[in-house]
């Protein structure tokens, strides 16, 4: 209730009073009325005010009341009043030269259309009709949707307000004093009463928004404003207005809810798009569950997310939870077990429970609910079936540690999320099956174990670099020759998949056959060139290093078909790369070189694929330099054990890099202690 009075705006429901009627009412009123702008100049005046000012009504606009009073020789009793009335109601008594006594009241008002500040002047001739004139003026000011009310200096309502009582249904006695507060909403009363007490105590304007209980039992929103009327600087009473703002508040609330719904819808759409992206990168079931855990937490605030999958027979359910999540009482259970995810799968429809009591009712008071609540912090649940090609493969299960309802919009979001999860799970299951098959195929093409040759220690290492279902082209082999020497080879067939694996298998078998008939490395590679030209595609580039080692003499004969140079690690000197220029890859006809070296006891010769030294962030040349540096830093116990040496090289070379290719190594070592006297 602001102390700032305002001319009420016309009603917007079709009951507006025409301007002509208002003018007629003002002109016929026994009360003088004038409206001034913020500078104190008259905008409009009725007949009685013009009479006091000594001018015709149409000649008053544009002049200050004091100016006109002086012009007609009337003592300007109110000359200083207009300035003081800019922020409060000011009343004076004024006697004109004809002896008539007038009550002049200046007070601030607000233009209801523009909101501009105005001043109003009311002139009331003292006499028996004053009370009636005030009632008429009050009715005039209440043409709009406002309730005018008054209170004494202590803030106690002392005049009846039929409009208020018509709204609230209160009796006069119920309304007077502080009784009007009883009609306020219980949640608003304390704050409004405190604000009213503060305004009365300090003599400052009162302005509050609150809900009022109507006679129908509902609540409407009102804005109350009031200002004190002062005499001698002290408040003598309060004058205020009450305006129904229910329509505005409801419109604001509707806009707020609409904006919130649009914002939430946009957020859910963004989260669903992010979920689609995250799930597309998940290749295994565990990765899918990990991605779903992040999406469930950020999307709906779920505290625990799991994926429950049907086994191949469709009779049991297996639960997969993200790493670090608390376990559920049963990781595996039959389809008929009283569990919300099993119910969602069986009925092929989403199922939710807002609290333990709701879950007990959903599962018909099963003892499993009591067990679940006792062993986990879960207090609300949602389960959504995951369907692929019209049949269920499992359910997406979400749990919350506090009771909560799942709204319709959240349910739609979760159903879409479950659909994405079902596709990702189906893809991940297929990937895992095919990837396992591919790995088995890859390893089947490599020797199950290396030969045990007296005087020689052999070691091998293989790590797949493909996260996808493809077989790599790296391979190695080692076998004893009839003359007592040991043969070894490491190669790389360009490409992935079955064609690379098939080519690798053919080259491996052909090399073994050639090695037994013409063991010298250059002859073997020349024979492979002829075979390669006859059986392999020209774009299937293959590189390899093939060697033959005599354990007695340490002589190593080697040919290199476009492959990386072998690494030699010695205990007493710095490791080095064998200084040999590689020949062309297989299939490209050239004269094959033959290189002869001697391996000292305790030295290790290591062959390796390019996945060890080359990746997206490291070139081959820098990788080869780093390989020598890493080998030179190997501890003595590592240098003395070829298997440890290979593992050390792999871990050191791949540290800090993302592996994007297969890594394959083969090492041969002549031990220091062991010697070969006989062959």
């Amino acid at each position: 209730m602001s102390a700032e009075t305002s001319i009420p705006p016309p009603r917007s429901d079709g009951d507006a009073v025409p301007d002509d009627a208002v003018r007629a009412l003002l002109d016929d009123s026994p009360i003088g009325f004038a409206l001034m702008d913020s500078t104190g100049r008259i905008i409009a005046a009725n007949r009685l005010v013009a009479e006091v000012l000594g001018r015709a009504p149409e000649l008053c606009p544009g002049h200050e009341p004091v100016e006109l009073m002086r012009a007609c020789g009337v003592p300007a009793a109110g000359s200083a009043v207009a300035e003081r009335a800019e922020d409060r109601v000011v009343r004076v008594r004024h006697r004109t030269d004809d002896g008539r006594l007038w009550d002049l009241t200046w007070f601030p008002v607000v233009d209801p259309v523009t909101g501009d500040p105005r001043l109003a002047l009311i002139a009331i001739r003292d006499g028996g009709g004053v009370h009636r004139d005030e009632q008429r003026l009050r009715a005039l000011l209440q043409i709009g949707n406002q309730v005018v009310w008054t209170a004494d200096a202590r803030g106690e309502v002392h005049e009846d307000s039929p409009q208020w009582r018509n709204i609230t249904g209160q009796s006069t006695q119920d309304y007077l004093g502080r009784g009007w507060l009883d009609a306020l909403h219980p949640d608003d009363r304390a704050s409004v009463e405190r604000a009213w007490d503060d305004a009365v105590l300090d003599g400052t304007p009162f302005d509050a928004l609150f809900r009022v209980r109507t006679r129908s039992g509902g609540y409407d929103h009102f804005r109350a404003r009031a200002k004190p009327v002062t005499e001698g600087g002290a408040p003598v009473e309060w004058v205020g207005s009450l305006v129904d703002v229910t329509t505005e508040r409801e419109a604001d609330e509707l806009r707020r809810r609409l904006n919130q719904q649009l914002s939430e819808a946009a957020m859910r759409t963004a989260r669903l798009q992010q979920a689609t992206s995250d799930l597309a990168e998940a290749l295994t079931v565990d990765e899918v569950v990990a991605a779903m855990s992040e999406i469930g937490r950020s999307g709906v605030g779920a505290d625990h997310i799991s994926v429950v999958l049907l086994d191949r027979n469709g009779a049991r359910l297996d639960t997969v939870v993200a790493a670090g999540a608390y376990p559920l009482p049963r990781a595996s259970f039959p389809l008929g077990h009283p569990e919300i995810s099993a119910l969602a799968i069986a009925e092929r429809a989403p199922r939710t429970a807002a609290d333990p009591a709701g879950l007990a009712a959903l599962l018909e008071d099963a003892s499993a609910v009591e067990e679940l609540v006792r062993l986990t912090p879960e207090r609300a649940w949602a389960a959504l079936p995951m369907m692929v090609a019209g049949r269920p493969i499992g359910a997406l299960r979400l749990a919350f540690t506090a009771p909560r309802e799942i709204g319709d919009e959240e349910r739609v979001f979760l159903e879409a999320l479950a659909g994405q999860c079902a596709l990702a799970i189906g893809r991940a299951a297929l990937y895992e099956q095919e990837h396992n098959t591919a790995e088995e195929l890859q390893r089947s093409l490599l020797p199950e174990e290396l030969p045990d040759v007296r005087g020689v220690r052999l070691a091998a290492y293989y790590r797949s670099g493909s996260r996808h279902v493809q077989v790599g082209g790296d391979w190695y082999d080692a076998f004893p020759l009839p003359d007592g020497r040991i043969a070894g080879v490491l190669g790389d067939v360009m490409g992935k998949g079955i064609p690379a694996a098939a080519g690798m298998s053919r080259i491996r078998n052909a090399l073994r056959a050639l090695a037994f008939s013409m063991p010298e490395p250059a002859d073997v590679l020349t024979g492979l060139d002829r075979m390669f030209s006859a059986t392999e595609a020209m774009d299937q580039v293959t590189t390899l290093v093939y060697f033959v080692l005599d354990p007695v003499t340490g002589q190593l004969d080697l040919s290199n078909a476009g492959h990386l140079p072998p690494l030699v690690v010695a205990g007493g000197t710095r490791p080095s790369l064998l200084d040999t220029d590689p020949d062309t890859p297989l299939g490209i006809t050239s004269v094959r070189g033959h290189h002869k070296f001697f391996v000292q006891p305790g030295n290790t010769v290591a062959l390796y694929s390019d996945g060890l030294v080359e990746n997206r962030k490291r070139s081959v040349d820098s990788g080869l330099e780093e390989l020598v540096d890493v080998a030179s830093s190997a501890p003595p116990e590592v240098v003395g054990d070829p298997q440890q040496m290979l593992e050390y090289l792999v871990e050191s070379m791949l540290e800090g890099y993302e592996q994007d290719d297969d890594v394959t190594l083969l090492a041969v070592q002549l031990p220091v202690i062991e010697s070969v006297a006989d062959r």
Side-chain angles (χ1 to χ4, degrees):
M1 295 181 250
S2 169
E4 191 171 279
T5 310
S6 64
I7 300 299
R11 300 178 68 90
S12 59
D13 56 2
D15 296 333
V17 178
D19 290 345
D20 291 341
V22 174
R23 292 193 189 97
L25 180 61
L26 288 173
D27 288 338
D28 295 338
S29 172
I31 299 173
F33 183 84
L35 182 66
M36 292 161 281
D37 62 18
S38 59
T39 66
R41 297 183 182 278
I42 296 173
I43 299 173
N46 74 347
R47 177 182 55 80
L48 278 183
V49 164
E51 181 180 337
V52 173
L53 300 179
R55 290 285 183 98
E58 62 270 18
L59 299 179
C60 292
H63 299 279
E64 296 180 8
V66 175
E67 172 191 351
L68 297 178
M69 293 169 71
R70 286 173 176 167
C72 65
V74 178
S79 59
V81 172
E83 181 178 353
R84 299 202 311 270
E86 291 180 356
D87 61 353
R88 61 184 184 272
V89 177
V90 178
R91 294 177 178 174
V92 298
R93 294 177 68 81
H94 174 68
R95 189 178 298 277
T96 60
D97 58 348
D98 60 3
R100 289 182 294 177
L101 187 65
W102 294 83
D103 285 325
L104 303 181
T105 302
W106 280 263
F107 58 96
V109 296
V110 176
D111 191 309
V113 177
T114 66
D116 295 332
R118 300 282 188 261
L119 284 174
L121 170 64
I122 294 178
I124 303 176
R125 188 164 55 191
D126 194 9
V130 170
H131 182 66
R132 184 174 63 255
D133 293 344
E134 290 181 350
Q135 287 183 327
R136 288 175 178 175
L137 178 60
R138 185 184 293 261
L140 177 63
L141 296 176
Q142 293 173 357
I143 288 176
N145 188 24
Q146 296 189 53
V147 176
V148 178
W149 57 277
T150 61
D152 61 22
R154 298 173 302 163
E156 303 288 328
V157 174
H158 56 77
E159 291 185 11
D160 187 20
S161 176
Q163 287 176 290
W164 172 272
R165 292 191 293 103
N166 184 56
I167 293 170
T168 64
Q170 286 184 307
S171 66
T172 303
Q173 294 304 316
D174 291 338
Y175 165 66
L176 295 176
R178 296 291 180 103
W180 61 276
L181 290 166
D182 294 337
L184 271 59
H185 192 286
D187 294 341
D188 298 339
R189 173 173 177 147
S191 61
V192 173
E193 186 171 14
R194 185 164 54 251
W196 177 234
D197 288 340
D198 291 342
V200 172
L201 181 63
D202 299 335
T204 55
F206 172 72
D207 192 338
L209 288 167
F210 49 79
R211 290 163 289 179
V212 174
R213 184 182 64 250
T214 64
R215 63 170 58 246
S216 64
Y219 285 92
D220 287 345
H221 293 267
F222 283 83
R223 181 170 191 174
R225 292 175 173 174
K227 273 193 172 183
V229 178
T230 60
E231 288 185 3
V236 295
E237 68 174 345
W238 290 78
V239 178
S241 65
L242 191 75
V243 181
D244 188 339
V245 294
T246 302
T247 302
E248 292 86 342
R249 290 298 297 269
E250 289 177 346
D252 289 343
E253 179 64 20
L254 179 61
R255 283 192 294 270
R256 186 193 66 79
R257 287 199 304 267
L258 180 60
N259 288 336
Q260 181 179 356
Q261 291 172 356
L262 290 174
S263 176
E264 291 175 352
M267 184 63 70
R268 282 192 294 270
T269 300
R271 285 170 176 159
L272 194 58
Q273 291 174 342
Q274 184 62 44
T276 302
S277 176
D278 293 344
L279 291 174
E281 298 179 1
L283 296 179
T284 67
V285 173
D286 288 338
E287 290 178 354
V288 171
V289 175
M292 290 303 306
S293 294
E294 289 297 324
I295 297 164
R297 276 192 292 268
S298 62
V300 294
D303 300 295
H304 188 276
I305 299 93
S306 58
V307 172
V308 184
L309 299 174
L310 277 165
D311 65 6
R312 292 184 177 181
N313 298 323
R316 293 189 64 83
L317 295 169
D318 297 319
T319 302
V320 184
V321 300
Y326 58 80
L328 296 176
R330 288 177 174 81
S332 179
F333 48 87
L335 184 58
H337 182 72
E339 216 285 332
I340 191 169
S341 57
L343 184 64
I345 294 171
E347 298 184 356
R348 300 190 178 189
R351 290 293 175 259
T352 62
D355 50 38
L359 184 63
L362 193 65
L363 301 178
E364 300 179 353
D365 294 321
S367 59
V369 176
E370 180 182 349
E371 178 187 38
L372 180 64
V373 173
R374 186 179 70 255
L375 297 179
T376 71
E378 298 179 354
R379 296 299 179 268
W381 300 265
L384 303 102
M386 298 189 304
M387 311 291 290
V388 173
R391 63 180 184 84
I393 64 169
L396 176 63
R397 183 185 186 276
L398 301 96
F400 308 84
T401 56
R404 62 160 293 175
E405 295 279 355
I406 299 294
D408 292 338
E409 294 177 354
E410 281 186 328
R411 184 190 296 263
V412 172
F413 170 71
L414 291 177
E415 288 178 354
L417 198 59
Q420 294 289 337
C421 185
L423 294 176
I425 288 291
R427 185 174 61 249
L430 180 62
Y431 164 79
E432 289 183 341
Q433 178 182 354
E434 294 183 352
H435 187 69
N436 292 337
T437 302
E439 284 193 340
E440 290 179 5
L441 174 60
Q442 175 87 46
R443 296 189 181 278
S444 70
L445 298 175
L446 301 177
E448 294 183 2
E449 59 181 18
L450 296 173
D452 184 9
V453 179
R454 188 179 181 188
V456 176
R457 298 177 68 183
L458 292 168
Y461 186 99
Y462 172 78
R463 179 192 287 184
S464 174
S466 175
R467 297 179 66 240
H468 304 284
V469 186
Q470 289 187 332
V471 181
D474 285 9
W475 60 286
Y476 66 88
D477 196 6
F479 48 90
L481 296 174
D483 59 8
R485 293 184 296 172
I486 181 76
V489 60
L490 186 141
D492 185 3
V493 178
M494 188 182 71
K496 300 286 185 182
I498 300 301
M504 176 178 67
S505 177
R506 287 191 294 268
I507 294 170
R508 174 177 178 266
N509 294 334
L511 186 144
R512 278 208 173 201
L514 291 170
F516 282 96
S517 62
M518 49 178 76
E520 299 310 319
D523 297 334
V524 171
L525 265 60
T526 300
L528 286 178
D529 282 336
R530 292 194 295 268
M531 184 279 299
F532 198 95
S533 300
T535 62
E536 307 303 315
M538 293 303 297
D539 60 349
Q540 191 164 341
V541 178
T542 300
T543 65
L544 61 83
V545 175
Y546 174 63
F547 70 84
V548 175
L549 175 65
D550 187 335
V552 176
T553 65
Q555 179 176 327
L556 184 142
D557 297 282
L558 175 144
S559 286
N560 186 338
H563 204 77
L564 298 171
L567 173 70
V568 179
V569 181
T573 60
R574 178 177 171 79
S576 63
L577 300 175
L578 284 180
D579 187 15
T580 61
D581 293 329
D583 298 330
T584 57
L586 292 183
I588 302 176
T589 304
S590 65
V591 178
R592 294 298 172 183
H594 184 104
H595 307 279
K596 182 184 297 185
F597 303 92
F598 285 91
V599 180
Q600 301 300 320
N603 289 3
T604 302
V605 178
L607 311 182
Y608 49 91
S609 64
D610 57 357
L612 181 68
V613 295
E614 182 185 23
N615 53 49
R616 294 186 182 95
K617 298 181 179 180
R618 182 170 59 192
S619 67
V620 173
D621 291 339
S622 62
L624 291 174
E625 293 177 3
E626 188 173 345
L627 177 63
V628 174
D629 291 338
V630 165
S632 65
S633 301
E637 64 274 14
V638 171
V639 175
D641 186 331
Q643 189 64 50
Q644 289 189 49
M645 186 66 195
L646 297 185
E647 294 173 359
Y648 173 81
L649 292 176
V650 173
E651 296 303 324
S652 301
M653 291 297 293
L654 297 186
E655 184 178 3
Y657 295 98
E658 181 181 354
Q659 182 184 351
D660 50 20
D661 198 1
D662 295 348
V663 175
T664 309
L665 298 95
L666 175 66
V668 58
Q669 183 188 74
L670 291 181
V672 175
I673 299 176
E674 187 177 357
S675 62
V676 179
D678 302 314
R679 295 204 317 189

